[in-house]
Amino acid sequence: MSPSTDPGRPEPDATTLAPPRDARPVSDRGDTVCVIGAGASGLTAVKNLREHGFGVDCYERETGVGGAWNWRHDRSPVYASTHLISSRPFTQFPDFPMPDDWPDYPHHSQVLTYFERYADHFDLRQHIWFGTEVIRVEPVDGDRWDVTTRSTGGYGPERTSRYAAVVVANGHNWSPKLPRYEGLEEFRGEIMHASSYKDPAQLRGKRVLVVGAGNTGCDIAVEAAQQASHCWHSTRRGYWYAPKYVLGRPADQVNDSLLALRVPLRVRQWLYHWTLRLTVGDLTRFGLPKPDHRVYETHPIANSQLVYHVGHGQITPVPDVARFHAKAVELTDGREIDPELVVFATGYLPRFEFLDPRVLGADEAGRPRLWLNAFVPGHPTLAVTGLVQPDSGIFTLSHWQTVLFARLLALRVRRPERAAAFAQRVTAGAGERYSGKVKDSSRHWFEVGHADYLRAVQRAMHELEDK
Ligand SMILES: Cc1cc2nc3c(=O)[nH]c(=O)nc-3n(C[C@H](O)[C@H](O)[C@H](O)COP(=O)(O)OP(=O)(O)OC[C@H]3O[C@@H](n4cnc5c(N)ncnc54)[C@H](O)[C@@H]3O)c2cc1C
């Protein structure tokens, strides 16, 4: 495979290879790389592969760029009030800053504008097939891939194209993770997953139970505090609710200054505990459970308003749900409450329905076994990007993952023996963590500390460099 200068799209009547496995023609796209998805991660993959000289075909099931941040998309998880949780400089791509006059935490509509500008600035749209869903990705001929697509929604014929490499950038915030509770099917009230929550009008005047204390669960509880007739917030354990600002700066920027100074985790934890003690104080005073872990051991919850509304009696913190009854919800402390609406803000699970799970080495729960959360043991021409949950923004990490992958693909041509050595590195390192000491739950499968993670990517870049 060599980097191609062909910016072209697959020709419907391109050279067909014989004999196709299932009697359908396969169009050979030569050295072209396929990218699945045109959200943040897919866009930066297209850009970085093009900059390294590769032809790219990107398939996007929706009709626009922006992935999760495009509220028009039927799988978009954003709601009317979604703002970035990570601050602007820690979210933007390193080579495309957000405007200086944007706020520290831009609104989701601004984030979408940002992606649209990124796509236009780097002229990426010409490489994207919109409204086209990837339904199968199969390894063939050693390191090549047959990618089968069709129009989103299942219309039109299937089309299979053969690629030199594939980047999977299909996102991991769209397939709801739903908890199982005894009696749930008997419950007569309304039930929804946070993925269907779009507007505070859905909460107005209702007795609402929000289950889950991720950033989304806390946001919805805060909205329910202002819109619902009552809000209960159910959490399994106690959490640290960190303010979005510390010393007048976005909290992630303060944390990053400490990371840059290589302040050890223990000291950072101690400083953070003190900051929380001085600002929020003792959480149990508000009726919130005492956290059973130190800060940085669960994904950070950045919410300055939750404790405020608890303190104003607009949110009642409650423990986990024990079971559902027709008209009530029983809690693990024996209490019963009577919500009309239950919102499960219980997160998302990754889904790669177009790939045999064995290709990604996925375990029974569906968690892939990768190196740097991106590189696939035994498949040097396949990479996943964006499958990270950092203590900062994701976009920078996706950028560097795809730069590394593009360099690896280029090296396979120039120095195949070095690329082969790197492949061994991928196999040896699969499953490595970059997250210090986080709790072992599906919520933290992809948790990475951005500083440790980027250092590991940098080391990998050096390993790849031609000498
Ligand atoms: C409420 C909320 C707040 C968040 N806040 C932040 C934040 O502050 N900072 C941050 O960095 N991240 C945040 N995130 C995480 C968010 O997922 C990432 O910012 C970002 O969307 C990841 O980009 P991605 O391209 O990897 O995935 P996505 O944005 O999900 O894009 C994936 C794309 O792939 C397409 N696709 C999927 N399957 C197929 C297929 N089979 N064929 C063709 N196309 C396909 C989808 O249509 C989509 O366009 C937040 C998430 C949520 C839910």
Side-chain angles (χ1 to χ4, degrees), residues 213-228:
N215 282 297
T216 299
C218 293
D219 275 357
I220 299 176
V222 164
E223 298 214 329
Q226 298 162 85
Q227 301 293 337

Side-chain angles (χ1 to χ4, degrees), residues 35-44 58-70 73-79 82-87 90-93 105-106 108 111 115 129-137 148-150 152 168-174 194-195 215-217 219 244 252 299 348 351-354 385-390 392-396 398 401:
V35 174
I36 304 171
S41 305
L43 287 175
T44 195
C58 174
Y59 296 110
E60 168 52 59
R61 67 184 299 282
E62 302 280 357
T63 50
V65 299
W69 294 97
N70 193 326
H73 293 171
D74 61 359
R75 287 178 177 175
S76 168
V78 300
Y79 30 92
T82 305
H83 284 250
L84 281 179
I85 300 158
S86 49
S87 74
F90 283 92
T91 307
Q92 64 204 7
F93 292 116
Y105 297 103
H108 69 77
V111 182
F115 290 130
W129 288 74
F130 290 104
T132 308
E133 194 171 28
V134 170
I135 55 170
R136 259 190 320 280
V137 175
T148 302
T149 57
R150 68 173 176 214
T152 304
V168 176
N170 66 332
H172 61 102
N173 279 145
W174 56 268
S195 55
N215 282 297
T216 299
D219 275 357
K244 271 186 137 172
D252 58 357
H299 185 67
Y348 297 86
R351 257 176 67 191
F352 306 96
E353 70 274 40
F354 43 77
T385 180
L387 197 57
V388 280
Q389 183 167 266
S392 69
I394 290 179
F395 317 157
T396 309
S398 297
Q401 286 175 333

Side-chain angles (χ1 to χ4, degrees), residues 131-147:
T132 308
E133 194 171 28
V134 170
I135 55 170
R136 259 190 320 280
V137 175
E138 300 157 297
V140 282
D141 291 352
D143 292 337
R144 295 170 66 75
W145 299 90
D146 277 0
V147 176

Side-chain angles (χ1 to χ4, degrees), residues 219-243:
D219 275 357
I220 299 176
V222 164
E223 298 214 329
Q226 298 162 85
Q227 301 293 337
S229 67
H230 193 76
C231 172
W232 295 273
H233 187 209
S234 163
T235 62
R236 244 173 221 167
R237 55 160 59 104
Y239 289 96
W240 300 101
Y241 299 102

